[in-house]
Amino acid sequence: MITTFTANPSLDRTIELGSALVRGGVQRARTAGAQAAGKGVNVTRALVAAGVATLALLPGDDTDPVILGLAVDGLPHRALPIGQPLRSNVTITEPDGTTTKVNEPGPSLDAAHQELVSAALLHAATESSWIVLAGSLPPGVPAYFYAETIARLHLGLGGRCPLIAVDTSDAPLACLYDAPAGLPDLIKPNAEELAGLAGTHSEAELEASPELAAATARQLVDRGTTAVLATLGARGALLVTAEGAWLATHSPIQARSTVGAGDSSLAGYLIAHDRGATPPECLRSAVAYGAAAASLPGSLIPTPEQTSPESVTVTPLAPAPADRLLAPSTQTPKE
């Protein structure tokens, strides 16, 4: 079973416009909808559609619209009561695929709520092959929460600890490497996040050179992370492990919304890994799922039938020269 944890879930409201967004104007939506979401929830949604056993763990009262939505959609979940409403996020998509998101901060989780979450994760981990820690942290939760959670899982379970994947950004991502008591087995940064972790090259430089991005990701593998799955925008995605590095690109698609594409990519990787696929095939599945999500409206998560793995080209990557890797960027590192 794959357990996902969404620290800051939401009810995602999506508005699809029939024309470009006019700031300050009044426009009519072509379509609109709402769905229980959050990065971990989105991963669980894709896993359920693929027939992979999964559980979504998240804070929220049973009467909250997000939790009710999970039940209506038939997604296996365990909600941890917090006595506060979960947040709503609004996504506006334009015909050319431009996506604008407005995310609420979410409810504040105090120390007691955080301890409840940690205990639930430790219990779920005993029956899981993967634990996925996904998304931003809500108010009141310290940036080191994911790093501390990983350390507690390793300490509490030892050799029985499942594989751990993390998909987050900013300070919670940086904290994973500030105190590496137990690093994740997989991280899924985009180019901006990868640049921020390394502090030597900009997002644009990494997107322009997959070889440079692979060499940058290699630094994280050398520090103890088993695999780095990095998305590079229009250049595709790459996977770096101790055994090698690969770049995957998808044939051109008509992008409708980028919401959930990264979550779908992570789900695609996990689905393939769960079935014993090789690293290149895990990457192929990740890119197929990400591209399928981008081609769907709103925050829809693709089913296996909506993906096209045969449209993905996977190529081994040679490392970038050492002098390029060490050259400092002129961009200020992301804080």
Side-chain angles (χ1 to χ4, degrees):
M1 181 176 72
I2 297 176
T3 296
T4 68
F5 171 63
T6 305
N8 205 7
S10 62
L11 185 67
D12 274 12
R13 303 181 184 278
T14 301
I15 300 171
E16 188 175 8
L17 299 178
S19 58
L21 176 66
V22 179
R23 188 168 179 261
V26 176
Q27 293 175 259
R28 295 187 181 277
R30 185 163 62 185
T31 64
Q35 186 177 67
K39 297 186 77 63
V41 169
N42 290 341
V43 171
T44 283
R45 194 177 293 278
L47 295 176
V48 167
V52 177
T54 181
L55 174 72
L57 185 67
L58 68 166
D61 299 339
D62 288 340
T63 56
D64 192 278
V66 174
I67 307 304
L68 293 174
L70 295 177
V72 168
D73 292 344
L75 300 186
H77 64 279
R78 180 185 174 193
L80 307 174
I82 58 173
Q84 304 171 72
L86 297 173
R87 62 178 178 163
S88 293
N89 295 336
V90 177
T91 299
I92 301 173
T93 64
E94 301 175 52
D96 66 354
T98 299
T99 302
T100 303
K101 289 202 70 176
V102 180
N103 292 348
E104 294 182 5
S108 179
L109 301 186
D110 60 21
H113 292 138
Q114 294 168 40
E115 185 58 37
L116 180 65
V117 166
S118 294
L121 280 169
L122 185 61
H123 175 75
T126 62
E127 301 176 350
S128 302
S129 57
W130 280 93
I131 292 287
V132 180
L133 307 175
S136 62
L137 295 174
V141 180
Y144 56 77
F145 180 79
Y146 285 146
E148 185 178 73
T149 296
I150 294 171
R152 292 183 64 171
L153 288 172
H154 281 287
L155 180 63
L157 297 176
R160 298 181 294 115
C161 185
L163 298 172
I164 300 172
V166 178
D167 184 6
T168 190
S169 59
D170 301 319
L173 179 60
C175 282
L176 297 176
Y177 294 91
D178 287 341
L183 290 171
D185 299 279
L186 172 70
I187 63 168
K188 197 212 69 60
N190 57 28
E192 179 185 8
E193 293 156 356
L194 183 60
L197 278 176
T200 53
H201 292 279
S202 70
E203 173 187 2
E205 288 170 329
L206 297 186
E207 287 192 348
S209 172
E211 293 80 10
L212 185 61
T216 303
R218 172 74 62 188
Q219 297 178 73
L220 305 179
V221 172
D222 291 342
R223 293 174 66 177
T225 298
T226 304
V228 177
L229 173 64
T231 52
L232 303 177
R235 297 301 298 270
L238 60 86
L239 177 66
V240 179
T241 71
E243 289 71 39
W246 301 267
L247 173 70
T249 57
H250 197 284
S251 59
I253 62 167
Q254 179 64 49
R256 298 186 65 181
S257 171
T258 58
V259 178
D263 309 334
S264 297
S265 293
L266 177 56
Y269 178 98
L270 294 172
I271 290 166
H273 188 278
D274 183 71
R275 295 170 179 168
T278 64
E281 289 307 307
C282 288
L283 177 60
R284 181 187 302 277
S285 179
V287 171
Y289 266 83
S295 68
L296 295 173
S299 57
L300 292 180
I301 302 300
T303 65
E305 295 74 24
Q306 292 171 314
T307 69
S308 301
E310 70 279 0
S311 299
V312 179
T313 300
V314 180
T315 307
L317 283 177
D323 59 340
R324 289 191 65 198
L325 179 62
L326 297 175
S329 169
T330 57
Q331 175 172 303
T332 301
K334 182 181 178 183
E335 297 180 355

